Amino acid sequence: MAAERFKVVALVAAVMCLCSADRVVMSVVVVPLAAKNGWTSSFLGIVQSSFLWGYMCSSVIGGALVDKHGGRKVLAIGAALWSLATLLTPWAAIHSTTGLLAVRVFFGLAEGVALPSMNNILSRWFPTNERATAVGISMGGFQLGNVLGLVVTPLAISSIGISGPFILFSFLGFLWLVTWAYRVPNDPQESTCISKSELKLIQAGKSDPCLSKGKLPPLSLLFSKMPTWAIIFANITNNWGYFVLLSWMPVYFNTVFGVNLKEAAWFSAIPWGTMAVSGYIAGAMSDYLIKSGYSITSIRKITQSIGFIGPGTALLGLNYATSPAVAAVFMTMGLSLSSFSQAGFLLNMHDIAPQYAGFLQGISNSAGTVAAIVSTIATGMFVQWLGSFQAFLTLTACLYFAATVFWNLYATGERVL
């Protein structure tokens, strides 16, 4: 029989898959919507980024709620609300652009709690030397959600209509919610199914007991620490590049290489699928090195450096792609290596501030979301003004390289708060 912590991470991976699929549906649907409504590239960027407006606002609050109440309850409420927003999206799109933007903002508000909840749950259910692998599995589910959304959405649109993928994924979200509510407690000590040996293994492997009672950290102290800024800058850089690729790749393949919507979805989906595998490899490698006696600081710096230099180099190569197949190779390389960030800054919050990890993640996510909004809108503006993606891809690559230097100067795996 599978250990309880593996059942928990499977359910977390499932909801992260739906979280991502619900997001990426709009990246595909926006192509026929833009054609139907006559949207410019600039306005298309605004529609694409509207989800991020809500996401930015809920990240800090969601992180604080997770620190106080635990990830189980907060994640359940978030999943219920974002599934409802997904269901309402096609109705809003039919009635008005303003209504569509409002629903997408609400959708972002609900999804802002996903990452802090995930990290909180996994920190409770897994010992330190298994946590990177657990995050790799969960984020693998997230990346597979991109694949699922990109591949299923065009098929659902062609057979059912624009509302098809939204109805499907919202139904799956409510189905997951029922399973989660009856299956997973907030802490392994509250589980009636866990064995004594597994509970002992989890407790013995924790170096940072959850001591937080929901109090906010002293902000002046938090922001006086350079490792805090290393995490924030890393999140900004990661989100900047990630959302450029997530929001614009179907449009990129459609406009640059003239492939149709279904082909564009497939070319966009392949890199996300490989990212799911490489994220697991990054986590397993990180945990193996910890068990082998390497310092957490060294591991976080190595994995994050790979997670930034890899996609930066790939984006520069993308400027010279002459076919959709070559472009897909560069994007596959970039996204696969970017998944090493999951064993870098994403885990580093629990290293430096275990009591306030949810709040710190909320702050860094908010900063990263602002960057994602800017990059998503700016991409559309650059394309409209210059007629190509090349300048913006080069700018994003330079940001990756600068963030690598900053991270290696100031990041640490030691507890500072």
Side-chain angles (χ1 to χ4, degrees):
M1 183 177 294
E4 282 300 303
R5 66 188 187 281
F6 299 140
K7 297 176 184 177
V8 170
V9 77
L11 282 171
V12 172
V15 78
M16 294 304 291
C17 178
L18 292 173
C19 175
S20 176
D22 287 348
R23 290 186 194 185
V24 84
V25 168
M26 184 56 69
S27 297
V28 180
V29 172
V30 78
V31 176
L33 282 178
K36 178 181 178 181
N37 297 310
W39 293 340
T40 64
S41 293
S42 296
F43 188 72
L44 194 151
I46 293 173
V47 174
Q48 292 277 56
S49 69
S50 57
F51 139 80
L52 296 168
W53 308 343
Y55 188 85
M56 174 182 62
C57 296
S58 65
S59 291
V60 175
I61 297 173
L65 289 173
V66 164
D67 285 338
K68 184 173 183 178
H69 300 290
R72 175 185 176 273
K73 184 185 297 184
V74 176
L75 182 60
I77 294 172
L81 293 177
W82 85 57
S83 296
L84 176 61
T86 300
L87 185 62
L88 293 175
T89 299
W91 173 85
I94 291 171
H95 285 78
S96 73
T97 303
T98 302
L100 174 62
L101 294 176
V103 170
R104 295 299 292 174
V105 170
F106 177 69
F107 173 73
L109 280 169
E111 284 214 341
V113 305
L115 279 177
S117 297
M118 178 199 79
N119 270 337
N120 179 273
I121 292 164
L122 297 182
S123 71
R124 291 171 183 261
W125 277 89
F126 284 84
T128 301
N129 61 10
E130 291 182 359
R131 198 173 297 163
T133 302
V135 170
I137 293 171
S138 299
M139 292 304 294
F142 188 84
Q143 309 310 338
L144 289 176
N146 289 326
V147 177
L148 186 65
L150 288 167
V151 172
V152 170
T153 300
L155 298 175
I157 291 173
S158 62
S159 59
I160 303 173
I162 287 180
S163 63
F166 295 99
I167 294 172
L168 171 63
F169 289 124
S170 61
F171 169 76
L172 292 175
F174 291 125
L175 182 63
W176 174 90
L177 188 62
V178 173
T179 306
W180 180 259
Y182 287 98
R183 190 70 187 82
V184 179
N186 199 48
D187 193 275
Q189 296 182 70
E190 301 169 8
S191 174
T192 58
C193 301
I194 194 170
S195 67
K196 292 182 179 179
S197 60
E198 184 181 7
L199 181 60
K200 184 177 179 181
L201 183 149
I202 293 171
Q203 292 175 331
K206 289 185 178 181
S207 58
D208 50 356
C210 296
L211 302 173
S212 176
K213 301 300 181 183
K215 295 180 180 179
L216 298 180
L219 295 182
S220 59
L221 178 61
L222 182 68
F223 289 119
S224 69
K225 306 295 184 181
M226 290 308 295
T228 299
W229 289 105
I231 290 174
I232 292 173
F233 189 26
N235 205 322
I236 288 171
T237 304
N238 184 73
N239 277 19
W240 179 287
Y242 182 89
F243 279 95
V244 166
L245 293 173
L246 178 64
S247 299
W248 284 97
M249 282 308 97
V251 179
Y252 170 83
F253 280 109
N254 181 256
T255 58
V256 174
F257 298 109
V259 299
N260 63 40
L261 185 58
K262 288 184 180 179
E263 290 175 334
W266 274 105
F267 277 116
S268 303
I270 292 171
W272 300 110
T274 60
M275 189 179 181
V277 176
S278 62
Y280 172 79
I281 292 172
M285 183 190 79
S286 176
D287 285 338
Y288 173 78
L289 292 174
I290 290 175
K291 292 174 183 177
S292 299
Y294 288 85
S295 73
I296 293 178
T297 297
S298 297
I299 295 167
R300 298 290 183 254
K301 288 187 176 183
I302 291 170
T303 54
Q304 190 58 64
S305 295
I306 295 172
F308 281 164
I309 293 174
T313 304
L315 288 180
L316 291 180
L318 195 60
N319 286 326
Y320 301 97
T322 55
S323 70
V326 173
V329 169
F330 278 117
M331 276 190 283
T332 299
M333 182 184 77
L335 284 170
S336 296
L337 294 176
S338 75
S339 66
F340 276 72
S341 293
Q342 296 165 195
F345 84 87
L346 192 59
L347 282 173
N348 194 228
M349 301 162 199
H350 278 275
D351 297 329
I352 72 167
Q355 289 183 263
Y356 309 113
F359 183 73
L360 177 55
Q361 181 155 28
I363 291 174
S364 65
N365 279 357
S366 292
T369 303
V370 172
I373 292 171
V374 173
S375 69
T376 303
I377 295 175
T379 303
M381 291 181 174
F382 268 64
V383 172
Q384 185 171 322
W385 292 340
L386 302 177
S388 76
F389 284 86
Q390 186 171 1
F392 203 75
L393 293 177
T394 301
L395 174 64
T396 302
C398 291
L399 180 62
Y400 273 123
F401 298 144
T404 304
V405 174
F406 193 87
W407 178 263
N408 280 281
L409 286 174
Y410 298 113
T412 180
E414 303 297 323
R415 182 170 179 171
V416 299
L417 286 175

